[in-house]
């Protein structure tokens, strides 16, 4: 028994606590397989019937799925949990009714909300953006919807709240005042922080970068753009980032890039663990099945001590050709295995310390003397000049990329 339990404990923590898997509601329970060229292919029994009846059927089916799969978390948008009404009041009543049932199912099963988010992009009123809309009336609607979203997060005990700027960006620079729009977005976030404090909501706020789709250019382009935005408007202590590698590759970076960059700045809060097809150039939201990628992501996560209160949310959809109900299980199980193997590989890389030792050696000139003063920020250009006059030309050293890559391959 003890030996069996040890197998699931890595670096003093259970694998499930490193991984904190979450199922997303919108792709797996609302998705129909429809695309711009074709009709729905995924005929789910819970999507039949009047909107509020099917919302309840869908929720019960989702909790049956979470339980069978053995995950502890789920994520959802306000509008995929309950249908939008014809007024804000009606939408709120619908949400109240369905979240009453969600609360009941959560307490029966122990399954929790990893994060909730507001859909501020699908309704036609948001076609020119929500927080960055040129019309304050639309921005006000988004604010009213967000207020209810934050109340919902509190009601269901969500551990995080995500802001994905779906249409916060522009298609044409001719009709857009970018400086004004960015300021409004920051002010919108400040209102959210204030309301969060007012209602005593404890969850972590997260911004999810994405460079394009549906806008041509989105303000939350990638991890570094969002970090710069947060710092510019003094919001960095209130938010972390929810990195989706499928968006990272859309921004032209490698899969692990934004996870690594966000983590380096202490801003990695959660991961929408999916993958794109970088050879295509659009958002495909596939289940992550590449062990090289998950090893690199888990290495960054383990090195920062985990993701809690964030997690690994499967913001992924089965292909429209994967039409069996069992494909939902296969996709999630396969992706969980891919991350579990990534975690085991990452822990071996870290515990062996071979790569870390090589990197440490590579930077060793900064551990003493002039290098140490550069590192601490106390060196001057005059000192550099004196150093070079005394020591002359440096002996360039090999970067040894192929050696690192070969060692990395040894672990996967
Ligand atoms: C869109 C996307 C969203 C967010 C939540 O590309 O990733 O599903 O995760 O709105
Ligand atoms: Co996402």
């Amino acid at each position: 028994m003890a030996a069996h339990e040890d197998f699931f404990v890595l670096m003093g923590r259970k694998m499930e606590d490193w991984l904190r898997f979450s199922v997303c509601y919108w792709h797996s329970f609302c998705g129909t397989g429809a695309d711009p060229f074709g009709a729905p292919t995924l005929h789910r029994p819970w999507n039949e019937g009047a909107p509020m009846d099917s919302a309840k059927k869908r929720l019960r089916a989702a909790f049956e799925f979470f339980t069978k799969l053995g995950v502890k978390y789920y994520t959802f948008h306000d509008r995929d949990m309950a249908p939008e009404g014809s007024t804000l009041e009606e939408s709120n009543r619908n949400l109240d009714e369905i979240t009453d049932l969600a609360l009941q199912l959560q307490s029966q099963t122990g399954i929790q909300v990893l994060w909730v988010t507001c859909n501020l992009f699908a309704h036609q009123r948001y076609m020119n953006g929500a927080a960055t809309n040129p019309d304050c009336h639309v921005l006000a609607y988004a604010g009213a919807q967000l207020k209810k979203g934050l109340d919902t997060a509190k009601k269901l005990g969500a551990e995080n709240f995500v802001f994905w700027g779906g249409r916060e960006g522009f298609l044409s620079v001719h009709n857009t005042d970018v400086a004004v729009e960015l300021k409004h977005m920051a002010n919108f976030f400040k209102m959210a922080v204030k309301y969060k404090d007012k209602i005593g909501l404890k969850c972590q706020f997260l911004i999810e970068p994405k460079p394009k789709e549906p806008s041509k250019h989105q303000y939350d382009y990638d991890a570094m753009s969002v970090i710069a935005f947060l710092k510019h408007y003094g919001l960095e202590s209130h938010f972390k980032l929810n990195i989706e590698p499928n968006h990272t590759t859309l921004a032209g970076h490698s899969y692990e890039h934004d996870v690594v960059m966000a983590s380096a700045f202490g801003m990695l809060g959660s991961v929408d663990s999916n993958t794109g097809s970088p050879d295509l150039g659009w958002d495909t939201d596939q289940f992550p099945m590449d062990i090289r990628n998950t090893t690199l992501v888990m290495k960054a996560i383990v090195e920062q001590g985990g993701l809690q209160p964030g997690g690994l949310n499967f913001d992924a959809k089965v292909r429209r050709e994967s039409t069996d109900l069992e494909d939902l299980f296969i996709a999630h199980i396969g992706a969980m295995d891919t991350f579990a193997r990534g975690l085991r590989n990452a822990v071996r890389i870290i515990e062996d310390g071979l790569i870390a030792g090589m990197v440490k050696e590579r930077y060793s000139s900064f551990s003493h003397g002039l290098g140490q003063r550069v590192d601490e920020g106390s060196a001057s250009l005059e000192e550099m000049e004196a150093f070079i006059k005394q020591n002359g030309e440096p002996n360039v050293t090999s970067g040894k990329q192929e050696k690192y890559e070969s060692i990395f391959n040894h672990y996967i």
Side-chain angles (χ1 to χ4, degrees):
M1 189 66 191
H4 179 256
E5 274 172 8
D6 281 354
F7 180 78
F8 295 107
V9 175
L10 297 173
M11 296 179 70
R13 188 178 294 177
K14 282 202 225 149
M15 288 178 80
E16 64 175 324
D17 295 331
W18 282 121
L19 298 163
R20 294 171 59 81
F21 291 128
S22 165
V23 172
C24 91
Y25 204 72
W26 55 100
H27 285 313
S28 290
F29 297 95
C30 308
T32 64
D35 73 7
F37 309 95
T41 57
L42 308 173
H43 302 287
R44 308 303 196 196
W46 54 81
N47 280 338
E48 285 154 20
M52 284 299 276
D53 291 341
S54 69
K56 286 179 196 163
K57 260 197 292 185
R58 185 182 306 126
L59 193 61
R60 290 187 191 284
F63 271 80
E64 185 185 333
F65 181 76
F66 306 151
T67 311
K68 286 181 173 161
L69 200 60
V71 292
K72 293 187 167 167
Y73 295 101
Y74 73 111
T75 56
F76 68 96
H77 299 80
D78 49 359
R79 299 296 181 250
D80 41 60
M81 166 97 38
E84 173 133 15
S86 52
T87 61
L88 180 72
E89 290 86 343
E90 194 192 338
S91 300
N92 288 353
R93 273 197 307 277
N94 289 350
L95 194 57
D96 286 338
E97 192 177 328
I98 307 295
T99 52
D100 283 348
L101 178 60
L103 201 54
Q104 200 185 314
L105 292 166
Q106 283 182 211
S107 68
Q108 276 166 17
T109 58
I111 291 158
Q112 299 286 321
V113 177
L114 182 72
W115 54 258
V116 51
T117 184
C118 285
N119 183 327
L120 300 175
F121 47 89
H123 193 281
Q124 64 177 30
R125 81 174 74 84
Y126 297 127
M127 67 180 186
N128 289 306
T132 62
N133 199 290
D135 180 357
C136 182
H137 199 137
V138 179
L139 191 150
Y141 209 108
Q145 190 178 329
L146 174 61
K147 178 174 177 287
K148 184 68 181 176
L150 295 172
D151 290 335
T152 303
K154 174 143 191 201
K155 173 177 175 180
L156 297 186
E159 298 195 15
N160 303 270
F161 191 94
V162 163
F163 295 84
W164 170 58
R167 295 185 195 271
E168 313 295 23
F170 54 88
L171 289 113
S172 169
V173 81
H174 297 304
N175 66 3
T176 309
D177 187 335
V178 295
V180 159
E181 292 198 354
L182 280 163
K183 184 174 71 180
H184 293 173
M185 188 160 82
N187 289 342
F188 190 78
F189 287 143
K190 285 177 188 168
M191 289 186 242
V193 169
K194 210 165 163 193
Y195 189 68
K196 176 187 181 217
D197 289 346
K198 180 176 165 191
I199 63 172
L201 172 63
K202 293 282 171 264
C203 72
Q204 163 84 61
F205 274 178
L206 299 166
I207 295 181
E208 181 176 323
K210 187 176 182 182
K212 56 187 166 186
E213 244 204 285
S215 284
K216 177 181 154 102
H217 174 84
Q218 281 169 215
Y219 293 126
D220 299 330
Y221 192 91
D222 62 0
M224 291 306 285
S225 326
V226 174
I227 292 170
F229 167 85
L230 290 171
K231 288 194 190 280
H232 183 80
Y233 290 102
L235 282 161
E236 71 269 26
S237 61
H238 300 288
F239 289 83
K240 285 195 174 173
L241 273 54
N242 180 40
I243 299 296
E244 178 166 322
N246 170 47
H247 298 169
T248 307
T249 54
L250 273 182
H253 304 305
S254 57
Y255 187 89
E256 68 285 354
H257 178 273
D258 273 9
V259 165
V260 169
M261 296 308 280
S263 183
F265 286 89
M267 295 294 275
L268 178 64
S270 203
V271 176
D272 267 5
S273 34
N274 64 5
T275 187
S277 275
D279 44 349
L280 286 179
W282 66 83
D283 183 1
T284 59
D285 285 332
Q286 288 164 241
F287 281 86
M289 296 290 177
D290 182 326
I291 295 168
R292 174 207 169 273
N293 286 341
T294 59
T295 300
L296 284 167
V297 167
M298 288 315 300
K299 180 168 174 284
I301 290 172
V302 173
E303 280 171 348
Q304 71 161 34
L307 274 180
Q308 59 289 343
L312 299 176
N313 174 49
F314 292 118
D315 186 356
K317 56 189 177 204
V318 291
R319 299 302 85 193
R320 77 190 288 270
E321 301 80 9
S322 301
T323 49
D324 292 339
L325 269 183
E326 73 160 18
D327 293 325
L328 267 184
F329 282 96
I330 293 168
H332 282 89
I333 293 166
M336 289 196 278
D337 280 350
T338 308
F339 263 95
R341 289 169 70 179
L343 169 62
R344 300 198 82 87
N345 295 343
V347 165
R348 281 196 298 129
I349 292 172
I350 293 166
E351 284 183 338
D352 281 1
L354 183 60
I355 293 178
M358 285 163 61
V359 174
K360 189 164 179 227
E361 177 58 28
R362 193 164 186 235
Y363 291 87
S364 59
S365 66
F366 290 95
S367 63
H368 55 273
L370 178 65
Q372 192 177 4
R373 288 200 299 287
V374 169
D375 192 68
E376 291 164 358
S378 61
S380 66
L381 292 183
E382 291 85 338
E383 275 180 84
M384 305 281 145
E385 185 186 45
F387 181 89
I388 295 304
K389 282 185 173 162
Q390 198 182 345
N391 295 284
E393 203 54 41
N395 290 322
V396 291
T397 47
S398 168
K400 297 224 159 306
Q401 179 174 326
E402 300 78 4
K403 183 170 175 182
Y404 282 87
E405 288 167 342
S406 305
I407 295 172
F408 179 79
N409 279 349
H410 171 76
Y411 291 98
I412 56 172

